[in-house]
Amino acid sequence: SAVISQKPSRDICQRGTSLTIQCQVDSQVTMMFWYRQQPGQSLTLIATANQGSEATYESGFVIDKFPISRPNLTFSTLTVSNMSPEDSSIYLCSVRTGGATNEKLFFGSGTQLSVL
Amino acid sequence: KNEVEQSPQNLTAQEGEFITINCSYSVGISALHWLQQHPGGGIVSLFMLSSGKKKHGRLIATINIQEKHSSLHITASHPRDSAVYICAVRGADGLTFGKGTHLIIQP
């Protein structure tokens, strides 16, 4: 089992500013995943954060726009940089436990971001 | 790339009704997850299936690997079941999520 504390839960930001989202897990995990959920759309993986190495970004997402930190096995941050209204979404962090036959997924409570 | 389709997109029902939400996918998978998302965005895992059927309380999930289809059933539905239900499949290219089914149970 894993409990993830994510903050902030919501924020309203001005265009051009940056917001950092934090996730704290109550157990050590190798990988943490960051997702974006645009209105009416499915979850899209932004990047996978590994402790001690650079995050791995999915196609369409770049480090300059979404820098990620992973200083230890229980904590990660995602920054949404130079925001525009198109960045208005729910952002979620996630971890998984178990293997192929008993995988479990755990998610943070989400950050609802609105950019004006 | 796996394509995940959920139906219906929206469902409004009366308290006590039997609810069925469907999920179809296009490419073979190793596991399928049913997730529940409440207003505010937080997501809770309900089931992980690789075959057959699982039951937890009033929730039942089934999967047919040959037909590439899964269903989530809610018996004796209650207003607190109102949420978005998301299907996610684990394939060779990772997790692919459906867009979700928005369920409203009216008292």
Side-chain angles (χ1 to χ4, degrees):
Chain A
S1 181
V3 177
I4 304 175
S5 299
Q6 181 174 345
K7 58 182 181 182
S9 57
R10 62 175 62 236
D11 208 341
I12 301 173
C13 301
Q14 295 296 318
R15 181 195 299 261
T17 63
S18 298
L19 176 71
T20 296
I21 302 167
Q22 299 180 2
C23 277
Q24 177 77 49
V25 189
D26 70 344
S27 57
Q28 294 184 337
V29 292
T30 305
M31 292 187 287
M32 292 180 70
F33 304 92
W34 286 98
Y35 290 93
R36 180 176 73 181
Q37 185 183 29
Q38 295 177 303
Q41 300 300 311
S42 57
L43 275 74
T44 301
L45 181 64
I46 298 171
T48 301
N50 298 295
Q51 194 269 333
S53 64
E54 291 283 334
T56 303
Y57 288 83
E58 298 298 306
S59 176
F61 298 96
V62 295
I63 187 171
D64 289 347
K65 176 66 175 177
F66 298 101
I68 286 172
S69 77
R70 185 80 202 276
N72 56 54
L73 290 172
T74 64
F75 187 80
S76 180
T77 68
L78 170 78
T79 298
V80 186
S81 303
N82 188 25
M83 289 184 284
S84 67
E86 292 71 34
D87 294 319
S88 297
S89 295
I90 296 174
Y91 292 85
L92 294 121
C93 59
S94 175
V95 302
R96 68 179 187 218
T97 64
T101 58
N102 62 346
E103 179 181 64
K104 290 187 178 180
L105 305 177
F106 301 91
F107 292 84
S109 53
T111 297
Q112 286 191 319
L113 171 62
S114 297
V115 183
L116 304 178
Chain B
K1 187 182 188 304
N2 222 329
E3 301 288 336
V4 179
E5 297 288 336
Q6 285 187 237
S7 63
Q9 288 186 316
N10 298 284
L11 177 58
T12 299
Q14 296 298 311
E15 183 173 357
E17 287 188 36
F18 181 82
I19 303 298
T20 296
I21 298 170
N22 298 297
C23 175
S24 297
Y25 50 93
S26 58
V27 180
I29 62 172
S30 59
L32 181 144
H33 296 266
W34 280 103
L35 310 169
Q36 182 189 54
Q37 184 173 33
H38 281 281
I43 293 175
V44 174
S45 176
L46 299 175
F47 294 104
M48 190 283 285
L49 293 162
S50 54
S51 65
K53 175 180 176 179
K54 286 188 177 179
K55 183 176 189 292
H56 184 247
R58 295 181 294 106
L59 301 179
I60 303 166
T62 64
I63 188 168
N64 185 317
I65 297 294
Q66 287 72 32
E67 294 187 2
K68 297 185 177 62
H69 180 270
S70 175
S71 293
L72 176 68
H73 305 287
I74 305 174
T75 62
S77 59
H78 189 277
R80 65 175 175 266
D81 297 324
S82 298
V84 176
Y85 292 84
I86 299 171
C87 168
V89 299
R90 170 72 66 189
D93 56 351
L95 268 179
T96 305
F97 295 82
K99 290 185 178 181
T101 294
H102 189 192
L103 175 65
I104 297 173
I105 304 297
Q106 296 179 334

